[in-house]
Amino acid sequence: SSLDCGLIPYKQAYEMQLKIFEIVKSESRPGVILLLEHNPVITIGHNKNLKNLLVTEEELKLKNIELIQSDRGGDITVHSPGQIVCYTIINLALMQKDLSLFVYNLEEVIIDVLKKFGIHAMRIKGCRGVFVNGYKIASIGLKVKRWITFHGFSLNVNNNLKYFDYIIACGLRDHPQTSMKKILKRPVNILNIKEEIIKSFSNIFRIPVNKIENF
């Protein structure tokens, strides 16, 4: 199932994931995809590494950017309006117990969606996520508990890339961020992208994805 949550705070989305996790686990369901945007927030991966944060916590407060310690894999990243965050609470025990394949397929979903908008995206060996001409356009960070995944990916659509100046995103100095808006030189309809993510997810994972209003 997929649920569009609009623009919500990071903590609220995390609580939703925990709630869905319990339902997926106890009822042995295939899972839920949450599609949403966040207010400006910098999240740190479970490595708790702050060396890629380039500003002080005081400066972040002044700029109204939250700083949150997350329990996902991966390094530091930033979310802000115009970036689609796709949280995947998926029961791999009902599919294939293969996390590498799951990450590969998530990247495939992103590559497939971008192709529909005339953007040629690719993987870079040794890096998680999706790239266009060496620039990073999508990031992946996951946690898995009892073969159920949490967190997911973020795709830069119309978001303000200036927020990435405050960090070395994902610790990748050589792959600055880009967005669909920057590549296409026009804003892109977020709802269209959400629709395409659902379609690609359904095709690549070979599971029907029905929209729900709540859970």
Side-chain angles (χ1 to χ4, degrees), residues 16-17 32 38 50 52 59 65-66 104 108 110 112 130 133 139 145 155-156 165 172 183 185 191 198 201 206 210:
M16 283 174 79
Q17 290 187 73
V32 177
H38 282 315
L50 277 172
N52 290 318
E59 285 175 274
I65 302 168
E66 271 194 289
Y104 184 90
E108 203 58 32
I110 300 157
D112 190 48
V130 174
N133 295 329
S139 299
K145 196 170 152 191
L155 171 63
N156 296 337
D165 293 346
L172 297 176
I183 294 163
K185 299 184 173 52
L191 288 175
I198 292 166
F201 204 96
R206 298 193 183 94
N210 27 324

Side-chain angles (χ1 to χ4, degrees), residues 13-210:
Y14 184 63
E15 278 157 18
M16 283 174 79
Q17 290 187 73
L18 293 177
K19 195 168 153 187
I20 295 167
F21 170 84
E22 288 305 329
I23 296 168
V24 167
K25 185 183 72 174
S26 62
E27 299 177 14
S28 195
R29 291 203 203 175
V32 177
I33 309 169
L34 301 178
L35 291 162
L36 50 96
E37 296 169 70
H38 282 315
N39 297 313
V41 56
I42 289 173
T43 67
I44 302 151
H46 63 49
N47 62 8
K48 298 185 166 58
N49 187 353
L50 277 172
K51 77 172 192 305
N52 290 318
L53 178 65
L54 305 177
V55 287
T56 64
E57 294 187 36
E58 286 69 38
E59 285 175 274
L60 291 179
K61 280 203 181 89
L62 290 172
K63 295 175 195 297
N64 268 337
I65 302 168
E66 271 194 289
L67 179 66
I68 290 181
Q69 174 63 59
S70 169
D71 60 356
R72 61 165 172 78
D75 208 308
I76 196 165
T77 194
V78 63
H79 304 301
S80 65
Q83 179 197 63
I84 290 183
V85 180
C86 177
Y87 288 128
T88 52
I89 306 93
I90 302 291
N91 193 343
L92 294 184
L94 297 182
M95 295 162 69
Q96 276 171 299
K97 289 184 177 179
D98 185 336
L99 189 57
S100 298
L101 177 65
F102 182 70
V103 170
Y104 184 90
N105 282 337
L106 283 185
E107 290 168 342
E108 203 58 32
V109 167
I110 300 157
I111 290 166
D112 190 48
V113 168
L114 291 169
K115 195 193 294 173
K116 291 171 186 171
F117 291 83
I119 296 172
H120 175 64
M122 63 200 298
R123 295 174 184 82
I124 289 181
K125 200 172 169 25
C127 299
R128 265 189 183 175
V130 174
F131 301 80
V132 179
N133 295 329
Y135 287 81
K136 194 164 194 188
I137 194 165
S139 299
I140 294 176
L142 299 169
K143 175 187 166 118
V144 182
K145 196 170 152 191
R146 300 198 184 172
W147 287 109
I148 298 169
T149 64
F150 280 81
H151 301 292
F153 70 81
S154 56
L155 171 63
N156 296 337
V157 183
N158 302 321
N159 44 316
N160 183 349
L161 296 174
K162 281 198 171 64
Y163 285 112
F164 286 100
D165 293 346
Y166 306 135
I167 62 171
I168 299 170
C170 312
L172 297 176
R173 218 176 267 278
D174 302 332
H175 299 290
Q177 299 276 326
T178 190
S179 67
M180 294 182 73
K181 181 182 175 183
K182 189 172 179 180
I183 294 163
L184 298 172
K185 299 184 173 52
R186 62 177 172 85
V188 184
N189 184 316
I190 286 265
L191 288 175
N192 288 355
I193 307 285
K194 288 177 178 174
E195 291 287 337
E196 294 301 344
I197 287 172
I198 292 166
K199 277 188 218 160
S200 291
F201 204 96
S202 179
N203 290 338
I204 286 155
F205 284 92
R206 298 193 183 94
I207 46 172
V209 181
N210 27 324

